[in-house]
Amino acid sequence: MTTYTARAIPPTALAQLRAVDDAGRTCRPFAADEETAGNPLRCCLRLSRVGERIALVSYAPLRRWAAEHGAEPGAYDEQGPVFVHAEECGGPDPAPTAYPFDRPGALRTLRRYDARGRIVGGRLLEIPEAPTEGFDRAFAEAFADPAVALVHVRAVEYGCFHYEVRRAPGTSGAPDAP
């Protein structure tokens, strides 16, 4: 069981991205084939399957978080490609037993941001053979700093955003609430 909650792209943001993405481009859905199956879907935090209708869209997670929290990330605002289902899906498992996209040996960057939307550090994580414990330790380390409001997990290979973990409201170093 995970200690922290991996947050998928919220449904309201997904609805917008399925029309026009954060780079201003119209969404272009396609059916996943042998080449595009197995890509991480940020709407439900699982891998795509052959035949599913998916889309590759540009997403700016910190910009959207900042708008929700009245912050101004300035130059730390990034956008990049993410795969999502082309239509509404059931979202992530409500009681995950593992962190998504946790293939041992894969490299992840865990970027830490404060309540103003400014980067306050980060770390490289090579996913260990016991991925859940590795992520739990890395998030505990991040949230031990009281300045950290959220952590973005990104793939090193492409820089793609995978998911976000937030500090639970009103806590100091405690895990994210489900």
Side-chain angles (χ1 to χ4, degrees), residues 18-151:
R18 288 176 178 131
V20 177
D21 72 12
D22 286 346
R25 289 187 287 272
T26 303
C27 182
R28 297 179 193 271
F30 59 94
D33 57 21
E34 293 295 331
E35 184 179 320
T36 54
N39 281 306
L41 296 166
R42 281 41 166 243
C43 50
C44 57
L45 301 179
R46 68 165 177 79
L47 300 177
S48 62
R49 299 176 186 132
V50 172
E52 288 184 304
R53 291 194 39 79
I54 62 175
L56 182 60
V57 297
S58 186
Y59 178 55
L62 189 61
R63 180 186 313 162
R64 288 178 176 271
W65 177 89
E68 181 183 323
H69 290 85
E72 177 52 53
Y76 297 106
D77 179 27
E78 296 180 77
Q79 68 184 32
V82 295
F83 286 96
V84 298
H85 276 113
E87 291 85 28
E88 264 188 66
C89 68
D93 183 340
T97 58
Y99 293 104
F101 323 125
D102 64 353
R103 180 178 44 84
L107 297 174
R108 299 290 180 259
T109 299
L110 282 68
R111 293 189 186 153
R112 305 167 185 175
Y113 297 93
D114 67 14
R116 297 175 306 151
R118 303 288 200 261
I119 198 164
V120 291
R123 71 168 291 204
L124 179 65
L125 175 68
E126 180 175 351
I127 301 176
E129 288 301 318
T132 299
E133 291 83 6
F135 275 110
D136 280 346
R137 278 192 304 276
F139 292 133
E141 174 188 295
F143 290 115
D145 178 349
V148 175
L150 71 154
V151 176

